[in-house]
Amino acid sequence: MSTTTELVGRGARDGRRLFEGWFDDLTAAAEEGRPAAYTFVMGSLCEVLRSFDMPVVFPEIHSLQMAVRRVADEYLSEAEDRGFSPDVCGYVKADYALQLRGGEHPMGRIPKPSLAVLTNACNTYLKWGEIWERLYDTPVMTLDIPGTRRPVRIEGMGPGNGERDPDGQERDRRYVEGQIRELIGKCEEVTGRAFDVDRLREVMRLTNDMAESWRDLLALNRSRPAGFDAMLEGTIYLGVANVLRGTEEGAAYFRDLVEEMEHRTQAGVGALGGRTEERHRLLFVGVPCYPMFRRFYELFSEWGGVFVSSSYTWFASGGLDEPFAYDLDRPIESLAEGVLRSVRHATDSLMFQDRALIRAVDEFEADGVVYHPIKSCRTVSTGLAASRRAVLDARDVLCLYIESDMMDRRVVSEAQLKNRIDAFFEGLESRKRRSA
Ligand code: SF4
């Protein structure tokens, strides 16, 4: 029987180890000159790429790690010296400078792209693919995923429009399926290997396993106290979910993580451990402030604030939070449905997330919602002010709206953030006192 000592913190430790292992594998691929595929977290086509045993690079993830490791400034400046505007997404600029430096990264070496696979989930993806095309002549496969076209939108994290428009959904699914079949042909060309449908099935089965655990994990954080901080630990878990999607290691990691969280829930071990009592249950909206990631977290945790849920773990999980499992009897058809649903879910989550947030306020019994729009990313920041108004109209919670960036320290002011965050908690404390 596992004890508290063995279980608590195991997910964070193992997550770091697996993440470092992923970077080690990429370094080995770069040194051996093996063909690597690049893909993105929203609309990840990782299952197809993995079925060809290609090392898979997630450029957003290696870029954000440069900010976490506090070297992003050098890379951003190098890209800006070559003409990129300060307004352009920091992930792209960091990756561009990394390519100019032969893949040099603080955690290893990133191999060059032999194939890039992207979707229209974010318009920056399209321009980013063009950079690799220009630098290396990399073949770029862009999958056009039709968005939700009716004024019927997701409610909470439930199913999208498809259920209400089955004919349109099936037409769109077939359209995506055709593009996936083209992608498979391109992978055969790049790797010189024949496509193996049973290998794809196996990878998809492992993604199904991981997705089931992912949903359990997110739901377990409804407990009081919540077992993990969805902004801090949630981001580590999200990283592992993306880079180890469709692998044995990834599926096992999330099974273990659910075991840890069940234990924490039963034993009442909260995200703040024994250090501070959970005083305020918060929702986080957007992407964290990586240039001062730990400190950013502390500005909330020092007040007993815990992020019980985060929109990041919805829209950047490649659809893992959706109640959907691949049908392994019709893998390519089902993969098309999965990609269609996950991209729509991500973009609907971004555009209409007030409904998901209102539902999350109820389900997670949140006292406050923290909006963190960032300079780099219009895709995740647009509409947050309107979302805040909608949430405030619908629920009796406090909302905080703070701006910074996920890469660029020049627009991050700890003192300003602290002032606003302290004032927010003073408001929450005073509400608590009044209601007591
Ligand atoms: S613009 Fe936003 S969503 Fe698009 S790549 Fe950059 S950070 Fe990601």
Side-chain angles (χ1 to χ4, degrees):
M1 182 78 176
S2 299
T3 65
T4 295
T5 327
E6 286 165 359
L7 283 175
V8 174
R10 183 179 66 183
R13 283 193 302 277
D14 287 355
R16 271 192 289 276
R17 180 179 53 74
L18 290 170
F19 213 61
E20 283 164 12
W22 176 65
F23 272 99
D24 291 347
D25 290 347
L26 293 183
T27 304
E31 279 160 10
E32 290 158 23
R34 275 187 279 132
Y38 282 29
T39 192
F40 293 95
V41 299
M42 291 193 292
S44 159
L45 266 300
C46 191
E47 283 82 354
V48 173
L49 303 170
R50 227 180 263 300
S51 76
F52 283 90
D53 292 325
M54 296 176 90
V56 184
V57 174
F58 288 86
E60 296 133 309
I61 295 179
H62 69 233
S63 288
L64 77 84
Q65 280 299 327
M66 294 185 215
V68 172
R69 284 162 201 271
R70 296 170 180 261
V71 296
D73 299 11
E74 301 164 26
Y75 289 79
L76 295 179
S77 304
E78 197 168 331
E80 287 173 13
D81 287 348
R82 289 173 182 259
F84 279 88
S85 155
D87 286 342
V88 170
C89 167
Y91 285 170
V92 181
K93 288 187 289 191
D95 173 67
Y96 175 68
L98 170 137
Q99 302 297 343
L100 297 183
R101 293 180 181 200
E104 182 190 313
H105 188 281
M107 293 182 75
R109 184 169 293 280
I110 306 297
K112 288 181 192 158
S114 302
L115 173 66
V117 184
L118 39 126
T119 67
N120 52 346
C122 166
N123 54 0
T124 299
Y125 291 170
L126 310 181
K127 304 309 287 179
W128 204 338
E130 288 172 10
I131 294 174
W132 303 318
E133 243 173 354
R134 279 201 300 273
L135 285 174
Y136 308 116
D137 220 7
T138 304
V140 175
M141 294 288 298
T142 304
L143 275 75
D144 177 33
I145 311 295
T148 303
R149 294 190 290 281
R150 286 182 156 202
V152 184
R153 294 290 175 176
I154 56 164
E155 285 158 16
M157 289 174 273
N161 182 31
E163 278 71 4
R164 300 159 206 242
D165 178 16
D167 297 340
Q169 172 85 354
E170 178 51 20
R171 273 195 303 276
D172 291 343
R173 192 204 59 72
R174 283 203 304 270
Y175 175 59
V176 176
E177 183 188 328
Q179 298 177 72
I180 290 179
R181 291 186 186 278
E182 249 182 82
L183 169 65
I184 289 172
K186 183 53 81 178
C187 290
E188 288 185 316
E189 207 180 298
V190 169
T191 60
R193 287 172 58 158
F195 171 60
D196 177 350
V197 73
D198 290 327
R199 173 80 182 114
L200 176 67
R201 234 182 231 120
E202 175 58 8
V203 174
M204 290 169 71
R205 180 186 69 74
L206 292 165
T207 302
N208 278 349
D209 268 14
M210 181 190 268
E212 205 179 317
S213 302
W214 181 256
R215 289 190 291 274
D216 289 348
L217 177 73
L218 300 189
L220 276 166
N221 233 27
R222 292 176 187 151
S223 66
R224 270 183 192 268
F228 65 96
D229 188 283
M231 197 268 295
L232 182 79
E233 288 139 302
T235 300
I236 300 172
Y237 306 155
L238 191 58
V240 179
N242 277 295
V243 305
L244 293 184
R245 187 181 172 111
T247 64
E248 287 281 5
E249 281 172 304
Y253 173 76
F254 281 98
R255 274 196 302 274
D256 287 352
L257 199 50
V258 168
E259 185 193 20
E260 176 184 340
M261 289 311 152
E262 281 170 347
H263 176 81
R264 290 172 81 136
T265 304
Q266 281 156 17
V269 180
L272 301 173
R275 303 187 302 280
T276 320
E277 175 204 356
E278 173 187 294
R279 287 189 56 73
H280 306 287
R281 295 170 65 82
L282 308 172
L283 304 181
F284 184 77
V285 185
V287 178
C289 177
Y290 291 123
M292 47 172 269
F293 192 27
R294 186 80 205 178
R295 184 66 194 132
F296 188 66
Y297 157 77
E298 286 167 357
L299 292 175
F300 296 92
S301 63
E302 282 167 355
W303 282 91
V306 174
F307 289 106
V308 290
S309 186
S310 156
S311 71
Y312 205 21
T313 59
W314 313 340
F315 69 77
S317 70
L320 294 182
D321 61 316
E322 272 266 275
F324 171 77
Y326 293 127
D327 177 352
L328 304 182
D329 290 334
R330 38 193 283 284
I332 301 181
E333 293 83 346
S334 182
L335 187 60
E337 185 179 348
V339 175
L340 179 62
R341 289 175 67 120
S342 79
V343 171
R344 281 185 173 172
H345 177 54
T347 48
D348 284 354
S349 292
L350 295 174
M351 306 280 194
F352 298 91
Q353 59 185 329
D354 52 306
R355 295 168 203 198
L357 288 169
I358 290 164
R359 183 161 144 181
V361 164
D362 296 341
E363 288 180 355
F364 288 84
E365 298 178 341
D367 314 305
V369 183
V370 176
Y371 287 89
H372 182 234
I374 44 179
K375 179 207 70 166
S376 267
C377 178
R378 254 100 46 220
T379 306
V380 301
S381 306
T382 305
L384 293 193
S387 160
R388 174 172 171 263
R389 272 200 304 277
V391 170
L392 282 172
D393 285 347
R395 293 294 180 270
D396 183 25
V397 288
L398 285 193
C399 290
L400 172 67
Y401 195 87
I402 39 172
E403 293 165 277
S404 76
D405 198 51
M406 82 298 195
M407 290 294 285
D408 191 346
R409 277 156 63 98
R410 292 167 300 187
V411 295
V412 177
S413 160
E414 183 184 330
Q416 276 180 19
L417 287 172
K418 185 168 182 342
N419 273 343
R420 304 282 314 284
I421 292 167
D422 286 352
F424 170 67
F425 279 109
E426 279 159 16
L428 283 170
E429 293 277 338
S430 119
R431 277 165 75 102
K432 251 192 188 244
R433 276 197 300 275
R434 278 203 306 275
S435 68

